[in-house]
Amino acid sequence: MSTQPKPSNPLKAVRGTRDLLPPETALWNRIEQTARQVFSRYGFGEIRTPIFEATELFARGVGEETDIVSKEMYSWEDRARAQSEKAQSLTLRPENTAGVVRAYIEHKLGETGDLQKLYYIGPQFRRERPQRGRYRQFWQIGVEVLGPVSSGSESPVRDAEVLEMLATLLDELGVKNWRLELNSVGSTEDRKRYDAALRAALAPVKAQMCEDNQRRAETNPLRVLDSKEPADQEIINALPKIADFLDDSSREHFAAVRAALDACGVPYTVNPRLVRGLDYYTRTTFEFTVPSSSDPASGLGTQNALLGGGRYDGLSEMLGGPKAPGIGFAIGEDRLVLTLQAQAEAAAKAADESSAGAPGLASQTWVQIPKLDAYIAPMGAERNAAALALARELRRAGLSVEVGDGTFRLKKSFEAADKVARHIVILGEDELATNTATVKTFATGEQVKVARGQLGELLRAKG
RNA sequence: GCGGGAUUGGCCGAGAGGCUUAGGCGCGUGUCUGUGGCACACGAAACAGGAGUUCAAUUCUCCUAUCCCGCCCCA
């Protein structure tokens, strides 16, 4: 029974991380490109913050008691720079809002008086049990809108604008069947009063609930609202509602957000049980979901939340900065990819029920990878140099070109060419002697011999 | 962190305590020295890792790893 100490395999991506390869990366690029385009139409600029920060930032910003901070962070003691200094605890960012707000404070962006509209795209790190749609290194596309009160950062217009933008982005990406769930958790004080009321209401009925909920009732009563335990639903539904604990300003704010969404025609559902895990959320909280496990058109299992976000009016001050109300969200890019792939797959299956062809490119990318304009086939190794020179010419003219190898037999060149390109350009003895090239078009089978100078133009004309 | 399922070539996917680990896709070579896509022939390539039971293990058991499902939680 000699069990070996685990042989960590250096030739394997570590648990919870993965490589993204072509052609799948084309899908990622398309998503990111679409997001950038949409964001810029709303006046957002990109921010890039470090991938690691002082541990303290997350402890204070995200909340000491959250799961993220208490058990999911990748932290380490950095080496002290000098004898006199002590090592600093650093952490791979588990989310990006704290970093953005830190940058806002550090660069005194509040002093400009302007409303800051920022977006980021990048990897985040949490040490959780990997699952479908949950990785230890995962990607988020996020947005933060914040600024001094005088910039209008507190306005419900900002909430509604962000939500409307998300609806537009998901539509432009082609995400089907998304749902917006919306709630208000009120101000910090509202939440405090609600928490007390919940505890009071739970005290007499707690014992009838499942183990998890009994524990939550003690540690974090808000989380009881999240419970999916069927047996406890009756009790949960009878619990006090956060809506009844909102002060006037929170109530008006929420009503204004909904009115603006209605005016824009963005559909949503108010979900009074939507509470989010991070400490800094105030007032508006929201989630966009897609149909989950039971529906094959979701690529996600129980992780049916595509993105989440909310308002964080007190975060800057929690971190020691000026008052800077804000609202933001983070899209789980990995989940977005999974969803789009699953929906593309489902659509393809529905489109041709009959052909039981192998799951093609659609399942991986749903993005069409265009074929190259030309494949240059040199005849004989001594034509290789000339082929590369020709490729350079064409590429500089903006055409996409692959170059074969003169040692390939013509048959092999044709096979290789047909796979990646629309045309094959044959470069043999004749062609070089007469300064021409032979071009064959795969789609039509037609073949012509043209002067070198006209080759680019011809390829462009044939498309 | 807890519970359950899975792991066979590059990919998909059969299989049984001992006989040669099917088949398909893909790949390579040839028929075929400048006109391919087809066809035919041939070829390379796998039982996740470790221990145990057994005359014999890829098959049974255990451990480890990884993925998937659920819980927790979140994107």
Side-chain angles (χ1 to χ4, degrees):
Chain A
M1 267 318 224
S2 67
T3 31
Q4 310 248 312
K6 64 187 65 171
S8 74
N9 189 343
L11 293 182
K12 222 176 162 313
V14 308
R15 178 170 217 191
T17 71
R18 59 205 179 127
D19 301 306
L20 302 173
L21 307 171
E24 192 183 358
T25 39
L27 173 49
W28 287 72
N29 282 325
R30 214 213 94 169
I31 288 170
E32 291 169 16
Q33 201 182 333
T34 304
R36 288 173 194 279
Q37 283 167 359
V38 170
F39 295 161
S40 76
R41 299 208 299 263
Y42 289 75
F44 283 82
E46 182 178 9
I47 182 172
R48 302 194 189 195
T49 66
I51 227 163
F52 57 87
E53 301 266 4
T55 302
E56 178 69 11
L57 175 68
F58 302 117
R60 286 206 285 171
V62 178
E64 204 85 59
E65 302 308 318
T66 60
D67 279 9
I68 292 177
V69 172
S70 65
K71 55 187 195 200
E72 296 173 359
M73 295 203 300
Y74 282 103
S75 302
W76 70 97
E77 291 298 309
D78 199 24
R79 213 170 290 167
R81 282 173 303 180
Q83 300 287 70
S84 56
E85 227 172 27
K86 72 170 186 240
Q88 187 184 197
S89 177
L90 302 179
T91 294
L92 252 26
R93 62 185 187 199
E95 57 99 59
N96 219 331
T97 300
V100 170
V101 174
R102 192 224 81 233
Y104 172 91
I105 297 167
E106 179 171 341
H107 300 288
K108 299 187 175 10
L109 297 181
E111 301 294 311
T112 66
D114 297 335
L115 184 67
Q116 302 294 319
K117 299 178 89 171
L118 305 166
Y119 77 87
Y120 59 83
I121 298 175
Q124 318 291 337
F125 305 85
R126 291 182 201 171
R127 200 179 181 294
E128 293 180 276
R129 174 87 160 211
Q131 238 180 77
R132 185 174 201 77
R134 168 182 294 166
Y135 307 97
R136 290 182 171 183
Q137 174 175 340
F138 60 101
W139 292 73
Q140 286 188 332
I141 300 175
V143 151
E144 312 293 350
V145 181
L146 76 169
V149 173
S150 61
S151 69
S153 58
E154 222 169 4
S155 166
V157 170
R158 307 280 60 111
D159 305 48
E161 181 184 46
V162 157
L163 290 165
E164 185 277 319
M165 179 171 77
L166 275 169
T168 296
L169 175 57
L170 293 184
D171 285 344
E172 281 190 25
L173 285 170
V175 177
K176 297 184 202 46
N177 304 324
W178 55 260
R179 274 170 58 92
L180 163 57
E181 301 197 24
L182 193 62
N183 193 22
S184 175
V185 295
S187 65
T188 314
E189 298 75 51
D190 296 340
R191 242 207 336 232
K192 221 171 280 171
R193 285 187 291 123
Y194 181 55
D195 189 86
L198 264 186
R199 283 178 195 275
L202 282 166
V205 293
K206 201 165 59 179
Q208 301 161 37
M209 298 201 290
C210 71
E211 228 175 279
D212 272 338
N213 280 331
Q214 295 195 28
R215 181 179 44 76
R216 287 159 159 166
E218 292 295 331
T219 59
N220 193 350
L222 277 178
R223 297 239 68 93
V224 173
L225 300 177
D226 263 351
S227 171
K228 290 156 210 136
E229 175 61 45
D232 293 351
Q233 294 308 308
E234 204 176 320
I235 295 176
I236 294 168
N237 285 328
L239 258 21
K241 301 279 186 288
I242 181 78
D244 299 324
F245 290 79
L246 302 186
D247 64 24
D248 287 347
S249 73
S250 289
R251 203 191 318 274
E252 282 163 23
H253 184 95
F254 192 37
V257 172
R258 289 183 319 216
L261 287 176
D262 291 339
C264 291
V266 174
Y268 61 88
T269 311
V270 173
N271 177 358
R273 286 167 57 166
L274 178 68
V275 290
R276 301 188 49 76
L278 279 45
D279 278 5
Y280 53 62
Y281 284 119
T282 54
R283 293 187 170 172
T284 312
T285 59
F286 58 87
E287 234 167 55
F288 279 72
T289 60
V290 287
S292 69
S293 40
S294 51
D295 188 333
S298 153
L300 309 174
T302 38
Q303 270 65 250
N304 68 339
L306 262 189
L307 67 96
R311 186 163 266 289
Y312 44 83
D313 291 340
L315 179 55
S316 175
E317 289 154 291
M318 279 165 62
L319 294 175
K323 184 171 167 79
I327 182 166
F329 62 79
I331 302 171
E333 192 174 1
D334 306 75
R335 294 183 182 181
L336 194 51
V337 168
L338 250 18
T339 299
L340 286 168
Q341 288 174 331
Q343 292 188 344
E345 183 100 25
K349 206 172 289 177
D352 58 351
E353 203 68 78
S354 52
S355 84
L361 208 58
S363 67
Q364 290 176 51
T365 71
W366 121 123
V367 171
Q368 282 302 316
I369 310 291
K371 284 199 166 183
L372 300 174
D373 294 314
Y375 180 101
I376 301 176
M379 302 299 299
E382 63 277 22
R383 248 72 73 178
N384 276 347
L388 201 58
L390 175 58
R392 171 178 157 95
E393 242 173 69
L394 296 175
R395 286 165 171 163
R396 287 202 155 204
L399 292 155
S400 55
V401 176
E402 177 65 285
V403 188
D405 187 293
T407 61
F408 290 174
R409 263 203 286 167
L410 191 60
K411 165 178 169 151
K412 181 166 167 165
S413 290
F414 265 98
E415 285 170 353
D418 196 15
K419 247 189 259 185
V420 301
R422 287 191 300 277
H423 307 280
I424 183 169
V425 176
I426 298 166
L427 208 56
E429 203 176 354
D430 299 352
E431 286 85 357
L432 280 177
T434 57
N435 201 32
T436 57
T438 298
V439 180
K440 184 159 184 174
T441 306
F442 286 115
T444 60
E446 74 179 302
Q447 178 169 324
V448 291
K449 200 170 208 180
V450 291
R452 277 276 290 263
Q454 288 164 349
L455 181 55
E457 201 183 321
L458 175 81
L459 289 171
R460 220 182 274 289
K462 285 179 171 291

